[in-house]
Amino acid sequence: MGRLTGGDPSLLRRINSAVVLHALRAAETATLTDLVNDTGLSRPTVEGVVEGLVAAGLVEEAAVAEGATRRQGRPARRFRFRVEAGHLLGIEIGPHRIAALLADLGGRVRGSAHVEVPAAAPAEERLEKVRTAVTDLLGRTGVPRSALRAVGVATPGIVEADGTVRLGTALPGWTGLRLGERLRRSFRCPVLVENDANAAAVAEHWKGAATGSDDVVFVLAGLSPGAGSLIGGRLHRGFGGAAGEIGALHLLGREATPEEVLSTTGEPLHPLDEAQVAGVFARARQGDEQARAAVARYLRRLVHDVAALVLALDPELVVVGGWAAGLEGVLDPLRTELARYCLRPPRVAQSLLGEAAVATGALRLALDHVEEQLFAVESTVTARR
Amino acid sequence: MGRLTGGDPSLLRRINSAVVLHALRAAETATLTDLVNDTGLSRPTVEGVVEGLVAAGLVEEAAVAEGATRRQGRPARRFRFRVEAGHLLGIEIGPHRIAALLADLGGRVRGSAHVEVPAAAPAEERLEKVRTAVTDLLGRTGVPRSALRAVGVATPGIVEADGTVRLGTALPGWTGLRLGERLRRSFRCPVLVENDANAAAVAEHWKGAATGSDDVVFVLAGLSPGAGSLIGGRLHRGFGGAAGEIGALHLLGREATPEEVLSTTGEPLHPLDEAQVAGVFARARQGDEQARAAVARYLRRLVHDVAALVLALDPELVVVGGWAAGLEGVLDPLRTELARYCLRPPRVAQSLLGEAAVATGALRLALDHVEEQLFAVESTVTARR
């Protein structure tokens, strides 16, 4: 149990400030009277809070609309939340590409950048590509680097709380890389690093296939699946940041690696060669027996891994993304098998965000960070319910 | 996001009341001056709050100790939290037995009862045994039924939020039983029903092998394992209350049932015959080849199921309880295998509470419920950190 302290008048001030900012953000513009009505606070309190928010650059008086001036008397002053008071970046650093999204404080995307990277590129080259993509994006959108309030970064691997990649076999030189620290040199704002499947889970919950559910498992279905989970709407990272690394389950039974599972020749596939993998699925569709057997093995493995997640967590919804999500015959077997042994099988949906999921999630994590600062008191207030 | 309301003066009053009660409970007795110092509240506020708590029967003036009266002047009045102001029950309803624990508001156990039940007993007989055990326990301890503030009940199966057993194959007539509703007829206080592995997880966290960790998987290792998980110190029930039902994983691969896995004859064991199961383990220790093979199959299955939980959740600690926990050769293979493929393998510990874990967890859930009412505002205050 945390230490309890007595009733704190500054707590009340912070609650009031968050309440007003929240009401202002929900409305396009609001008068002081609107805010008094929306918040239940007294007019002097609202006036004091709005004054403070204007001084902080987060709120400004809105220009008076044409029609309003024609009415009798002085029109009431209207205020608006300045979504342009700061910007955010969401960056995906993947095996094949780097993607970046730029958004305002309202979370609206203002620009994006995509750069291809060779799968074999060493860490330094990959980081250099990130820096170039960001510089280009800021230049194109005319947003100064100093306007960035937070940067979210998502990448394959197990990521520690400080942004160090504890294990990241998908990218050369990634394991042990102090990714957060390296990127913080390029930005003066907080840089948050997250596992890619975790970020995608957050993204689908924000504006994808999982907007209606707070208990979600997102499966990033590739050769070896990763997963991200939301429990009660919050990301579940696990004690060591490794929650959802279910792809390791097959190691236990000394079973074949994913590269062997999908092989039609006995020679394992290259883990990052998506074209080679797609070729196996294409040949299976054309009736090639060996390819069909390989795909069947792959699906069985995927279903088993997802089933383990579902039994452990009992989510409402499973969202499947990653390159394998679009493949024919992935979702239906999953639904069928989950229905077989789950009392209340979760819904299974395909990712709505597709390739954009990871960068979008990184952006959302940056936005969460900024909102936590702006609305620091909100969790306190909502916890009261 | 929850609806935000403005600063509420009654919130402050409730915070103050919870703060004082918390300080009183932490100390054996406390003077008003102690409480002023402990809470940072003003003396008039503390006086008002204590007066209210005395009126509610939760606090009383403590008798003045002998030594104190000899000092000069009138000794300061001392107050104490009345742990005897209410009582709680924790009840385990298992396949073979019913166990009940009675405790005061401080969570201190004041008495217990144990009753054997035939595994084949129908639901009505089992419920009748519960009622008898409770009546005996209350009679022996001299606690009137009206003094019960909450009753926690733990039982195998998937339990819905309202206390209905959605699936409970271990007990005859259990599936579909409105267990909460049935038991509420015997009590005038809230009755909380929980899955047995979930309750055991809570118990080990309270006073068992998991007191030092908030991210725990408790495995109730029997023929088919169940599990309960704490995430950030809170029970994770899952969307449908079925989280941790990892025993179903083997169904997926159309694998042998647990009763077949442990069989040495080809004939499946009876799922509830613990003596028969213990016999297989005993013969394995004596070197019986078939028994050893059966035990090896059983352990491989258990390790796999626990591994799936660990990969999904990434806990700090795995606690193994249930009858299989005490068997030789259960914990070590688990540790070895988890270490093989987990980057940061969880610690693996044996249950400290043993047979008492489930009833103790049920008691803790009842205590949690009462504390939530007494300290309703606490989560608000701690969330502020």
Side-chain angles (χ1 to χ4, degrees):
Chain A
M1 264 179 268
R3 191 169 165 276
L4 285 169
T5 54
D8 170 8
S10 82
L11 169 63
L12 221 52
R13 272 202 299 275
R14 284 191 294 142
I15 293 180
N16 293 343
S17 186
V19 164
V20 169
L21 196 50
H22 197 268
L24 264 168
R25 227 177 54 147
E28 195 142 329
T29 64
T31 64
L32 292 175
T33 307
D34 293 339
L35 292 172
V36 166
N37 293 340
D38 288 355
T39 62
L41 296 169
S42 74
R43 191 166 184 101
T45 301
V46 168
E47 283 176 351
V49 167
V50 168
E51 204 173 290
L53 292 172
V54 169
L58 288 169
V59 167
E60 69 173 8
E61 204 175 327
V64 177
E66 275 290 310
T69 54
R70 288 192 198 139
R71 280 200 244 136
Q72 284 212 310
R74 195 158 52 102
R77 295 156 72 202
R78 303 195 71 88
F79 295 90
R80 60 181 278 273
F81 175 63
R82 295 186 64 233
V83 290
E84 71 280 16
H87 286 82
L88 309 156
L89 280 175
I91 304 175
E92 172 189 6
I93 310 181
H96 302 285
R97 64 174 206 148
I98 283 148
L101 294 171
L102 179 80
D104 61 26
L105 284 188
R108 209 173 30 156
V109 174
R110 308 286 304 275
S112 65
H114 298 86
V115 185
E116 302 281 313
V117 196
E124 290 307 321
E125 185 183 333
R126 207 172 292 272
L127 287 173
E128 188 52 41
K129 294 253 184 197
V130 171
R131 284 189 284 265
T132 309
V134 167
T135 304
D136 286 357
L137 178 56
L138 293 175
R140 268 192 288 124
T141 50
V143 170
R145 193 169 289 255
S146 60
L148 293 174
R149 294 272 190 130
V151 175
V153 178
T155 191
I158 297 172
V159 179
E160 310 247 355
D162 70 350
T164 300
V165 181
R166 196 176 163 90
L167 183 76
T169 51
L171 308 188
W174 224 237
T175 297
L177 184 69
R178 296 174 175 278
L179 184 55
E181 190 184 304
R182 293 298 303 275
L183 291 172
R184 268 172 218 122
R185 293 180 200 163
S186 306
F187 302 103
R188 290 210 194 117
C189 61
V191 175
L192 310 136
V193 186
E194 188 53 83
N195 167 269
D196 55 356
N198 286 358
V202 167
E204 296 286 343
H205 186 245
W206 182 27
K207 44 165 84 174
T211 52
S213 174
D214 279 348
D215 296 282
V216 184
V217 166
F218 176 90
V219 179
L220 194 59
L223 215 46
S224 180
S229 308
L230 300 183
I231 296 175
R234 298 171 67 100
L235 190 56
H236 173 63
R237 292 186 172 86
F239 181 70
E245 292 293 324
I246 202 75
L249 196 55
H250 68 88
L251 294 179
L252 197 65
R254 280 92 172 159
E255 290 164 30
T257 65
E259 294 77 13
E260 291 158 358
V261 162
L262 257 184
S263 167
T264 53
T265 61
E267 281 295 300
L269 305 186
H270 188 281
L272 294 173
D273 192 339
E274 292 179 9
Q276 200 184 10
V277 173
V280 176
F281 277 84
R283 288 205 308 282
R285 270 196 305 280
Q286 290 153 14
D288 179 308
E289 273 311 310
Q290 282 187 310
R292 285 175 69 154
V295 167
R297 284 195 300 270
Y298 170 81
L299 287 178
R300 208 153 47 228
R301 170 75 61 83
L302 182 66
V303 167
H304 180 273
D305 291 349
V306 175
L309 278 168
V310 166
L311 289 170
L313 289 164
D314 186 20
E316 183 182 11
L317 172 67
V318 173
V319 178
V320 185
W323 59 256
L327 298 171
E328 213 178 316
V330 166
L331 261 64
D332 280 342
L334 202 54
R335 286 197 186 96
T336 310
E337 289 297 302
L338 291 180
R340 272 191 61 232
Y341 63 90
C342 286
L343 198 62
R344 177 163 13 194
R347 283 194 297 120
V348 177
Q350 192 172 332
S351 159
L352 281 182
L353 298 173
E355 280 220 312
V358 177
T360 301
L363 179 63
R364 178 69 238 186
L365 289 165
L367 185 56
D368 282 347
H369 182 81
V370 169
E371 289 192 346
E372 254 170 51
Q373 298 178 309
L374 294 183
F375 303 104
V377 104
E378 176 156 345
S379 62
T380 315
V381 178
T382 54
R384 188 160 30 126
R385 285 179 301 170
Chain B
M1 260 178 271
R3 190 169 164 274
L4 286 171
T5 54
D8 170 8
S10 84
L11 169 63
L12 222 51
R13 271 202 300 276
R14 284 192 294 140
I15 292 179
N16 293 343
S17 187
V19 164
V20 169
L21 197 49
H22 197 268
L24 265 168
R25 226 178 55 148
E28 196 143 328
T29 63
T31 64
L32 293 175
T33 306
D34 293 340
L35 293 172
V36 166
N37 292 339
D38 287 355
T39 62
L41 295 170
S42 74
R43 192 168 183 101
T45 302
V46 167
E47 282 175 353
V49 166
V50 167
E51 204 171 291
L53 291 171
V54 169
L58 287 169
V59 166
E60 68 174 10
E61 203 174 325
V64 176
E66 276 288 312
T69 52
R70 291 196 193 135
R71 279 201 246 138
Q72 283 214 308
R74 194 158 54 100
R77 295 156 72 203
R78 303 195 70 90
F79 296 89
R80 61 180 277 273
F81 175 63
R82 295 187 62 237
V83 290
E84 71 280 16
H87 285 82
L88 310 155
L89 280 175
I91 304 175
E92 172 188 8
I93 310 180
H96 302 286
R97 64 173 207 151
I98 283 147
L101 295 171
L102 179 80
D104 61 24
L105 284 188
R108 209 174 27 157
V109 174
R110 307 287 303 275
S112 65
H114 298 87
V115 185
E116 301 282 314
V117 197
E124 290 308 321
E125 186 183 330
R126 207 173 292 270
L127 287 174
E128 189 50 42
K129 295 253 185 197
V130 171
R131 284 188 286 264
T132 310
V134 167
T135 303
D136 287 356
L137 178 55
L138 292 175
R140 268 193 288 125
T141 49
V143 170
R145 194 170 288 257
S146 59
L148 293 175
R149 295 274 189 129
V151 175
V153 178
T155 192
I158 298 171
V159 179
E160 309 247 355
D162 71 349
T164 300
V165 180
R166 196 180 165 91
L167 183 76
T169 51
L171 307 189
W174 225 238
T175 298
L177 184 70
R178 295 174 175 279
L179 184 56
E181 192 185 302
R182 292 296 304 275
L183 291 173
R184 268 172 218 120
R185 293 179 202 164
S186 306
F187 303 102
R188 289 210 194 116
C189 63
V191 175
L192 309 136
V193 186
E194 188 52 80
N195 166 269
D196 55 355
N198 286 358
V202 168
E204 295 286 346
H205 186 243
W206 182 28
K207 43 167 89 174
T211 52
S213 173
D214 280 348
D215 295 282
V216 183
V217 166
F218 177 89
V219 179
L220 194 59
L223 215 46
S224 180
S229 308
L230 301 183
I231 297 176
R234 298 171 68 99
L235 190 57
H236 173 63
R237 292 187 172 84
F239 180 70
E245 291 294 321
I246 202 75
L249 197 55
H250 68 89
L251 294 178
L252 196 67
R254 280 92 172 157
E255 289 164 30
T257 64
E259 295 78 14
E260 291 160 359
V261 162
L262 258 185
S263 167
T264 53
T265 61
E267 281 296 299
L269 305 188
H270 188 283
L272 292 174
D273 193 339
E274 292 181 6
Q276 200 185 10
V277 173
V280 176
F281 277 85
R283 289 207 306 282
R285 270 196 305 279
Q286 290 153 11
D288 179 307
E289 273 310 310
Q290 281 185 312
R292 285 176 68 154
V295 168
R297 284 194 300 271
Y298 170 82
L299 288 178
R300 209 154 44 227
R301 172 76 60 84
L302 182 66
V303 168
H304 181 272
D305 291 351
V306 175
L309 279 167
V310 166
L311 290 170
L313 289 165
D314 186 21
E316 182 183 11
L317 173 67
V318 174
V319 178
V320 185
W323 59 257
L327 299 170
E328 214 180 313
V330 166
L331 262 65
D332 279 342
L334 203 54
R335 286 199 186 97
T336 309
E337 289 298 302
L338 290 180
R340 270 192 61 232
Y341 63 88
C342 286
L343 198 61
R344 179 167 8 196
R347 279 194 299 121
V348 177
Q350 192 170 334
S351 160
L352 282 184
L353 298 173
E355 279 220 313
V358 176
T360 302
L363 180 65
R364 178 68 237 187
L365 290 165
L367 185 56
D368 282 347
H369 182 81
V370 170
E371 290 193 346
E372 254 170 51
Q373 298 178 311
L374 294 184
F375 303 103
V377 100
E378 176 156 345
S379 63
T380 316
V381 178
T382 54
R384 185 159 36 121
R385 283 178 303 169

